[in-house]
Amino acid sequence: TVDSETTTLFSWNPIPDQVTNNAKIKVADSDNEENVYDESDSAFHIAATFTINTPGDGEVLEVGSSYDITWVRQGSAVTQVKLEYSDNGGSSWNLITDTASNSGVYPWTVPDAISTSCKVKISDPNNPNAFDESDGYFKIRGKLQVTSPNTGNESWNVGSTYPITWIRTGSIATINIYYSPDNGNNWVKINTTAVDASQETWDWYIDESISISTQALIKIVDTSDSTVFDISDNNFEVKGSVHLITPSDAGISLSVGDNYTITWEKYGAVGNIDIHYSTDGGIAGGGAYPETNLITTVPSTDGSFIWSVPDEIGTNLRIRIRAVNNYNVWDESDNSFEIKGKVTLNRPLGGEVFYVGDTEQIQWTPTGTYAQVKLEYSTNGFANESEAFPIAVVSAGASGVMQSYDWTVPDAIGSNLKVRVSDNNNPQVVDVSPNPFTIKGKLKITTPNGGEEWVVNSVHNITWQTTGSIANVKLEYSTDGGGTYPNGIVASTPSDGVYEWTVPDAIGSNLKVRISDASDSSVSDESDATFTIKGALHLTSPNGGEAWQVSNPYNITWKRTGSIQFVELRYSLDGGQTWPGIIADSTDASAENFTWTIPDNPCTTVKVKVTDTSDPSVFDISDANFKIVGSLTLTSPNGGEKWKVGEQRKITWTMVGSIANVKLEYSKNSGQSFDYLITESTPGGSKEYYWDIPDDVTTACRVKITDATDATVFDTSDADFKIQAVFDVIQPDGGEVWEVGTAQNITWTCNATTVANVKLEYSTDGGTDWNTIIDSTPNTGSYAWSVPDDISANCKVRVSDVNDSEAFATTFGVFKIRGSLDLTSPDGGETWIVGSQHN
């Protein structure tokens, strides 16, 4: 409250901590507040205030580092603040965050915004007019860190290239690289153009202008800000170097006693060098260079040395050159090389003639100390390695002393033979016969070699043993025991020890075979003794399973192999145990056919034999038994007969051959099956059988006759016949008078129980025409008939099998059907007057 008479201006201090955008001021008469007052025409702001403490003017921040932005705040209602930075003195702003707690401190990761005109601004997110900025400018700069050389363990050689590496933080564009040989007292820039800092690596070729040092350092500097740099954490070494040129390539092979030039290059001050050799792969191979393997010590400036290759046979040798005054200055072969021995073949040298199976000396002289030599031979002068064949692996022997090996000459016939001797562990140490020598072989027939019996056109193996690699052989045969060989088998065939020979038609017992080298006829052999060629017979019919009928002609057939002239034919009735039956004692073999009329010797174990008449050992027999059988022909019943139940009928037949007994059966299904026996056995020679016709009525009956001992010999009726019932009409039997409309019994008899139903008919004309009484009625022997209105004095009745109208019987005579009259008036007792009219 203030005195309105004396005060029109009031200093409001402090502004309250009530941040708002809707503030107003009201002034009123303290004695009359409701009526005398005024207030602000529109709202005003009460804003928070901020004062940035850090970053301050002149501060330097590094990209990626963590830095606390700090400030002093007033206005507790503002809980969140917005933070921004500028890298152009405040001309534009980049958001840091718009949700920082208004706590007075914010941890900031310094962005990659390299600049010397950086500011930070803080503001109320809801009132951009409530803010503060850094009082001056601070600086953001990048960062560099040398990573190699940096450990202090590096030792770099003059004349070599090494990668200098670093880590760049921030968008530093380019750098310069400096070298110090004196722990940083003096620096020499080693790059000629600015280096792209983002690559973070640069290959440094150390040339001879670079000072050798054990206190070397590398420094990298931002070309746009010299305050941004880094130096190796530790000293590294730059030293002189040597580079071995030869031997260094892969695949170098030296021989014991050879002179070989070792060459090298040197970089920087090196002095004298030692030259050593290693037999176990040197340092690169995990081996060593013992002092006993010192070759020489020479000035490094010489650049070469002629080395007499020692007797150090192996495949893992290396050369090392090393500075005498600094063992860290050295180089060795990039790859292992080989030292191998030598060998000189002394025999065979060419022109010799060796024979398969003989023993011949191979002679050689070794140079160098190695354990074994491999001995090989070739049939083509080693023109093709696939035809190099082993002989033996033996001791190499003492260096410089001639050695020998007793060789059993192999089966390697030819005139282009050579021998090769080589170090068993190193095929490059080798010598070969300068000229070819010759090996000859042998042949020996093993089959046929005497006593064999071979059939014309059969295939047999001619076999032989080959001593030596004879490529092809010639085969011939003789029919005069080897006196001459006019008959060729094959002019040339591979000498593989076997030849399939189709035996020719040269029937005889004085055969021999000769074999010879197709390219050298002096190498040959023949069968030790003679062998035989025979013909062959193959019976083709009868060959088993046939059934040949007595008295019928059949062809005996065979196949003839070879020029057999005549054959004998016989038959056996006991399956070939004996051959008493002569069919033909001599018939033309070339016909391969003979017609034989079968004798009356029915039998199931018959065989036929065909035999060369000039050589009984040449024959063939039926493979299995066949049969000689008789034949039966049924003559009655043979179709169409009508045989009555109860009567006796004669079954008749004809027969060829001695069939002892026959079986008789009958069928009721036209011969589809014969299920009913007439007789199991009756003499076949009687040719007749009296059959009592059974009560088995049928219209499809047939009879079958069978040889009782051979069911395959049979005959049947050619067509169906009938077995019929016998009927007899009892009443009417003739003379009866039956009136129309009366009930009369027709009666009959039937001798067959197998007739189930009958048909009844009557005739009024003595049996010419018939009228049906009933189509089917049970065969009971009686039927009640209501006499029809069919008046006649010439009537008959007929009863028949409903299934066979031909089986019937009729009235013996005729009977009468007549009508009847009944006078109804006058019927007695009436009195009729004369002259009156009455019905």
Side-chain angles (χ1 to χ4, degrees):
T1 300
V2 297
D3 186 353
S4 62
E5 295 294 333
T6 61
T7 306
T8 58
L9 177 65
F10 178 76
S11 179
W12 187 19
N13 185 28
I15 303 298
D17 187 0
Q18 293 180 343
V19 174
T20 179
N21 293 326
N22 288 314
K24 284 190 176 185
I25 294 293
K26 178 179 180 182
V27 60
D29 182 349
S30 59
D31 295 323
N32 188 4
E33 289 186 16
E34 292 183 1
N35 298 309
V36 183
Y37 69 88
D38 193 24
E39 64 179 25
S40 307
D41 291 339
S42 58
F44 65 94
H45 302 277
I46 295 177
T49 61
F50 306 97
T51 303
I52 291 177
N53 292 335
T54 59
D57 186 23
E59 284 195 62
V60 178
L61 279 58
E62 288 187 341
V63 174
S65 63
S66 181
Y67 182 84
D68 286 343
I69 301 172
T70 63
W71 65 91
V72 177
R73 66 186 179 110
Q74 289 183 342
S76 61
V78 178
T79 60
Q80 301 285 324
V81 293
K82 178 179 181 181
L83 294 172
E84 299 169 277
Y85 76 92
S86 173
D87 57 4
N88 55 13
S91 296
S92 61
W93 295 92
N94 304 294
L95 181 65
I96 297 174
T97 179
D98 56 7
T99 58
S101 173
N102 190 13
S103 62
V105 62
Y106 178 80
W108 181 34
T109 299
V110 180
D112 185 6
I114 296 172
S115 172
T116 58
S117 302
C118 296
K119 278 178 170 280
V120 164
K121 181 169 74 172
I122 187 170
S123 62
D124 181 351
N126 298 313
N127 186 358
N129 294 318
F131 71 91
D132 189 33
E133 296 180 6
S134 307
D135 289 340
Y137 299 120
F138 65 92
K139 178 181 180 179
I140 294 178
R141 70 182 184 186
K143 182 179 178 182
L144 294 168
Q145 179 185 356
V146 175
T147 55
S148 179
N150 199 51
T151 64
N153 295 322
E154 298 88 354
S155 180
W156 290 1
N157 295 328
V158 175
S160 297
T161 299
Y162 299 90
I164 296 171
T165 62
W166 61 89
I167 297 173
R168 178 189 73 153
T169 304
S171 53
I172 299 170
T174 58
I175 60 169
N176 286 322
I177 305 176
Y178 298 85
Y179 167 71
S180 172
D182 52 9
N183 199 30
N185 291 323
N186 295 284
W187 294 94
V188 177
K189 189 171 78 165
I190 58 177
N191 60 298
T192 56
T193 59
V195 177
D196 183 352
S198 67
Q199 298 297 317
E200 297 188 337
T201 184
W202 183 73
D203 288 335
W204 180 30
Y205 175 72
I206 305 176
D207 61 34
E208 296 212 25
S209 67
I210 298 299
S211 299
I212 293 174
S213 173
T214 59
Q215 293 185 315
L217 292 172
I218 288 294
K219 179 170 69 173
I220 57 175
V221 182
D222 185 346
T223 56
S224 62
D225 185 353
S226 61
T227 68
V228 180
F229 66 90
D230 192 36
I231 300 173
S232 306
D233 292 343
N234 299 283
N235 296 122
F236 68 98
E237 179 183 22
V238 174
K239 63 182 186 293
S241 66
V242 289
H243 172 57
L244 185 68
I245 300 174
T246 58
S248 200
D249 293 340
I252 293 175
S253 181
L254 308 178
S255 296
V256 175
D258 287 355
N259 288 326
Y260 181 78
T261 302
I262 301 170
T263 62
W264 65 88
E265 294 174 339
K266 69 97 180 173
Y267 301 92
V270 175
N272 289 341
I273 60 169
D274 288 336
I275 305 176
H276 287 78
Y277 69 88
S278 170
T279 60
D280 55 7
I283 297 170
Y289 290 90
E291 285 303 315
T292 54
N293 291 354
L294 176 67
I295 297 173
T296 188
T297 300
V298 294
S300 62
T301 55
D302 286 359
S304 66
F305 177 77
I306 297 175
W307 180 36
S308 178
V309 178
D311 187 1
E312 290 282 9
I313 294 172
T315 60
N316 203 17
L317 284 92
R318 295 197 185 209
I319 295 291
R320 184 190 69 188
I321 56 175
R322 184 180 65 181
V324 174
N325 60 2
N326 186 350
Y327 284 179
N328 289 326
V329 178
W330 63 277
D331 192 25
E332 69 174 351
S333 307
D334 293 339
N335 299 280
S336 293
F337 62 90
E338 175 187 35
I339 293 179
K340 60 187 180 183
K342 294 180 183 177
V343 67
T344 302
L345 183 68
N346 305 116
R347 185 178 188 270
L349 297 177
E352 299 89 348
V353 177
F354 294 166
Y355 294 91
V356 175
D358 289 355
T359 300
E360 297 287 347
Q361 269 199 353
I362 299 172
Q363 299 173 345
W364 68 94
T365 301
T367 300
T369 303
Y370 49 93
Q372 296 175 316
V373 292
K374 180 193 292 184
L375 302 175
E376 302 167 280
Y377 73 93
S378 170
T379 59
N380 62 3
F382 294 102
N384 186 340
E385 274 302 312
S386 64
E387 296 187 21
F389 305 103
I391 297 174
V393 175
V394 297
S395 171
S399 178
V401 179
M402 189 173 76
Q403 309 294 318
S404 66
Y405 173 79
D406 289 336
W407 180 33
T408 300
V409 179
D411 183 2
I413 292 173
S415 59
N416 196 24
L417 277 289
K418 286 189 176 185
V419 163
R420 179 167 68 190
V421 59
S422 61
D423 181 349
N424 186 46
N425 294 316
N426 190 345
Q428 296 178 357
V429 179
V430 63
D431 196 19
V432 181
S433 305
N435 296 295
F437 61 93
T438 299
I439 293 178
K440 287 190 174 184
K442 303 169 186 176
L443 293 168
K444 172 62 179 172
I445 286 280
T446 53
T447 308
N449 209 31
E452 295 87 352
E453 292 185 352
W454 288 357
V455 177
V456 173
N457 291 339
S458 64
V459 177
H460 286 273
N461 288 337
I462 298 173
T463 62
W464 63 92
Q465 296 172 349
T466 304
T467 304
S469 53
I470 296 173
N472 296 287
V473 294
K474 178 181 181 180
L475 295 170
E476 304 162 281
Y477 72 92
S478 169
T479 59
D480 58 7
T484 61
Y485 283 90
N487 308 300
I489 298 173
V490 62
S492 179
T493 187
S495 184
D496 53 9
V498 62
Y499 178 81
E500 285 190 354
W501 184 31
T502 300
V503 178
D505 187 3
I507 295 173
S509 59
N510 205 21
L511 279 289
K512 280 191 174 186
V513 165
R514 180 170 71 183
I515 186 171
S516 58
D517 186 340
S519 61
D520 185 355
S521 60
S522 66
V523 179
S524 66
D525 189 39
E526 68 177 3
S527 307
D528 290 346
T530 59
F531 66 97
T532 299
I533 293 179
K534 291 184 174 185
L537 293 168
H538 175 59
L539 187 70
T540 54
S541 179
N543 209 32
E546 297 89 349
W548 287 3
Q549 292 184 346
V550 173
S551 300
N552 286 350
Y554 292 89
N555 286 332
I556 299 173
T557 61
W558 61 90
K559 293 294 182 184
R560 177 189 71 157
T561 302
S563 51
I564 298 171
Q565 290 184 304
F566 299 100
V567 292
E568 177 191 61
L569 295 172
R570 286 178 174 267
Y571 70 95
S572 168
L573 298 177
D574 54 12
Q577 295 182 48
T578 60
W579 299 92
I582 296 177
I583 300 170
D585 55 6
S586 181
T587 187
D588 184 1
S590 66
E592 298 184 338
N593 180 80
F594 182 82
T595 301
W596 180 30
T597 299
I598 306 304
D600 187 5
N601 285 319
C603 181
T604 60
T605 55
V606 186
K607 286 188 176 183
V608 164
K609 179 179 181 181
V610 57
T611 306
D612 182 351
T613 57
S614 64
D615 186 352
S617 68
V618 179
F619 65 89
D620 193 30
I621 300 171
S622 306
D623 290 344
N625 294 327
F626 68 98
K627 294 189 293 187
I628 293 178
V629 296
S631 63
L632 293 167
T633 303
L634 188 71
T635 55
S636 179
N638 208 32
E641 294 87 352
K642 299 171 186 178
W643 289 0
K644 306 295 184 180
V645 173
E647 67 183 1
Q648 191 176 67
R649 289 285 186 169
K650 186 165 63 175
I651 300 172
T652 62
W653 61 89
T654 61
M655 180 177 70
V656 176
S658 304
I659 299 175
N661 295 287
V662 295
K663 178 181 180 182
L664 295 172
E665 301 163 280
Y666 71 96
S667 166
K668 296 197 297 181
N669 56 12
S670 299
Q672 295 181 46
S673 61
F674 288 87
D675 301 320
Y676 307 97
L677 180 67
I678 298 172
T679 180
E680 187 69 39
S681 179
T682 189
S686 67
K687 299 181 183 178
E688 62 182 14
Y689 178 82
Y690 287 93
W691 183 27
D692 293 326
I693 306 303
D695 182 2
D696 209 355
V697 173
T698 179
T699 61
C701 195
R702 295 195 185 194
V703 167
K704 178 178 180 182
I705 184 170
T706 307
D707 184 339
T709 60
D710 187 350
T712 65
V713 179
F714 66 90
D715 192 28
T716 64
S717 306
D718 291 344
D720 294 339
F721 67 96
K722 294 180 180 181
I723 294 178
Q724 296 178 322
V726 177
F727 293 94
D728 184 21
V729 178
I730 305 301
Q731 182 181 333
D733 194 36
E736 293 89 347
V737 177
W738 288 354
E739 291 184 348
V740 173
T742 61
Q744 302 291 335
N745 282 332
I746 299 172
T747 61
W748 68 91
T749 62
C750 177
N751 71 342
T753 61
T754 52
V755 177
N757 294 285
V758 295
K759 181 179 182 180
L760 297 175
E761 301 165 280
Y762 72 95
S763 172
T764 60
D765 57 6
T768 301
D769 296 308
W770 293 93
N771 305 298
T772 300
I773 298 171
I774 187 167
D775 282 325
S776 180
T777 188
N779 185 22
T780 61
S782 176
Y783 179 78
W785 183 34
S786 178
V787 179
D789 184 5
D790 213 351
I791 295 171
S792 172
N794 198 24
C795 293
K796 284 193 173 194
V797 166
R798 183 167 69 183
V799 60
S800 62
D801 185 345
V802 295
N803 294 314
D804 183 4
S805 62
E806 293 182 330
F808 69 91
T810 64
T811 304
F812 179 74
V814 296
F815 67 96
K816 180 187 290 186
I817 295 176
R818 70 182 181 185
S820 63
L821 295 171
D822 182 16
L823 183 66
T824 58
S825 179
D827 197 34
E830 295 89 348
T831 302
W832 287 358
I833 298 172
V834 175
S836 62
Q837 188 177 37
H838 292 275
N839 284 330

